[in-house]
Amino acid sequence: TARDEAEHHRLCDFREEPCPNCRKPQIHGQLKAHEQQCRQNSEEVTPCRYHEQGCAHTPFARDLEAHETKVCEFRPVPCEFKQCLEKPMAKDRPDHVQNCKYRPVDCRNKSSGCGDNMTFVEEQAHAQICEYRLVECRYFSTGCAVKICYNQAQEHARVCGYRKQQCEYVPLGCDQTDCYAQDLAKHELECRYRPVECDFKFRGCTTKPSFSEKDDHQAKCRFRFEFPRYWANSDEHNFQQMVLSRGLEPFEQMAQATYVSKPTRDRPCPVNKCADIPRGGCEHVLAGGDPGL
């Protein structure tokens, strides 16, 4: 019956009971012999199993297991990072954890803006492709010493002062095809092929010769000898009235002494706006008028 079976288990010589010394389970029939032997062994000292690794402790037999599993500095212990399969000695574990290739680290480009976090071994590969890694400007070979984030390098190169550009007046003859961008503006302001206005623009010339050809153009410019429209023969641009100027100093002195800046009534309006000319001339022929006396 069930009661008989329970009673049998309670009295069976093959039932297991813990040793009062080592607390390990033993067969009841062998418990006394084991207990006697265990008592003798518990007073003996035994070398730690890790003595070859450097442990010099020789604990009592009863303390051996606790020493080897919890106390010994030479016992192997797992790394705290799950990916790591190494088991350093207990005494070396702090150094191992600090230098473990599976320890979490920030990207080395954190100060540049990268917020990624990863294992140390992953960071080595990540650093090679990180968009925040510092790279040299593509114009490093021509003088730019700037180091900039990879994700900003293209924009920097677009405005870098060391990029090569050609002068806008190359089609007009300038041979500066590889000028530094930072020097280009100054060059173009001084380029001998830049177009400039003729000095006789105020007379009507609209030609813009290059700076190097300006003198030649002005020497031949048809507006060089332009005359007021109200002069007789002013439409004939080849008209030149030669006046002997040598030996006329007395005449010049007399002219300066007697000259009065006052127009006459018979002078027509040079801009054809005044139909009735008052005494002394219209406002457009007065001194200070437009175009003036």
Side-chain angles (χ1 to χ4, degrees):
T1 64
R3 180 180 296 179
D4 293 337
E5 184 178 4
E7 184 66 15
H8 170 74
H9 282 307
R10 189 177 68 80
L11 300 175
C12 180
D13 284 343
F14 291 95
R15 70 183 184 275
E16 290 188 344
E17 292 182 8
C19 170
N21 292 317
C22 67
R23 307 305 297 169
K24 292 181 179 179
Q26 301 294 327
I27 296 175
H28 177 75
Q30 302 173 358
L31 181 59
K32 288 186 179 181
H34 169 78
E35 187 178 347
Q36 183 179 3
Q37 182 65 38
C38 184
R39 190 178 295 111
Q40 292 177 358
N41 291 342
S42 66
E43 301 300 328
E44 295 178 356
V45 291
T46 307
C48 172
R49 74 170 68 177
Y50 304 114
H51 69 278
E52 291 185 356
Q53 282 75 26
C55 183
H57 286 274
T58 54
F60 291 116
R62 63 176 179 271
D63 301 325
L64 183 62
E65 183 177 359
H67 168 78
E68 291 178 343
T69 58
K70 298 179 182 179
V71 180
C72 182
E73 292 186 347
F74 294 88
R75 74 187 188 281
V77 291
C79 175
E80 68 178 65
F81 306 119
K82 293 182 179 179
Q83 291 177 276
C84 183
L85 302 178
E86 294 187 36
K87 290 187 176 182
M89 295 180 184
K91 68 181 182 66
D92 298 330
R93 189 172 185 265
D95 288 340
H96 169 80
V97 169
Q98 186 176 358
N99 297 288
C100 180
K101 62 182 180 180
Y102 293 103
R103 68 187 185 276
V105 295
D106 293 325
C107 173
R108 69 186 64 181
N109 302 308
K110 181 178 180 180
S111 61
S112 298
C114 184
D116 291 350
N117 185 274
M118 65 217 78
T119 65
F120 176 78
V121 69
E122 291 171 337
E123 196 275 341
Q124 308 298 307
H126 168 80
Q128 303 301 315
I129 60 172
C130 179
E131 290 198 351
Y132 292 91
R133 68 188 185 275
L134 295 180
V135 295
E136 292 176 343
C137 172
R138 72 174 63 172
Y139 300 111
F140 173 79
S141 62
T142 59
C144 184
V146 171
K147 286 194 173 184
I148 194 167
C149 290
Y150 175 80
N151 59 4
Q152 299 174 357
Q154 187 172 356
E155 177 61 22
H156 167 77
R158 190 179 67 82
V159 297
C160 180
Y162 288 90
R163 71 189 187 281
K164 294 296 186 69
Q165 291 186 308
Q166 73 173 27
C167 173
E168 69 171 297
Y169 306 122
V170 165
L172 301 180
C174 181
D175 60 0
Q176 290 296 319
T177 58
D178 58 351
C179 187
Y180 288 137
Q182 63 186 8
D183 301 329
L184 185 61
K186 182 176 184 295
H187 164 77
E188 289 179 345
L189 285 174
E190 301 174 350
C191 180
R192 58 193 301 267
Y193 291 94
R194 70 188 186 277
V196 293
E197 293 180 341
C198 173
D199 288 348
F200 304 116
K201 177 183 177 181
F202 73 99
R203 291 178 177 172
C205 182
T206 58
T207 302
K208 288 188 175 182
S210 67
F211 177 80
S212 61
E213 297 173 342
K214 181 180 179 181
D215 290 343
D216 289 342
H217 163 76
Q218 291 184 164
K220 302 174 183 178
C221 180
R222 71 186 186 90
F223 292 94
R224 178 181 180 87
F225 302 108
E226 189 74 9
F227 303 104
R229 294 297 179 186
Y230 54 82
W231 282 21
N233 302 317
S234 62
D235 290 335
E236 299 179 10
H237 296 295
N238 291 325
F239 168 77
Q240 293 189 45
Q241 182 174 357
M242 304 301 291
V243 178
L244 180 63
S245 61
R246 290 179 297 176
L248 297 181
E249 288 81 1
F251 175 81
E252 180 66 22
Q253 292 173 3
M254 181 179 65
Q256 292 293 335
T258 60
Y259 175 76
V260 177
S261 56
K262 183 177 180 180
T264 58
R265 183 174 183 177
D266 63 348
R267 183 178 177 188
C269 177
V271 294
N272 297 321
K273 289 185 177 181
C274 302
D276 297 326
I277 307 298
R279 179 176 296 179
C282 72
E283 61 180 276
H284 297 98
V285 301
L286 298 177
D290 184 14
L293 179 62

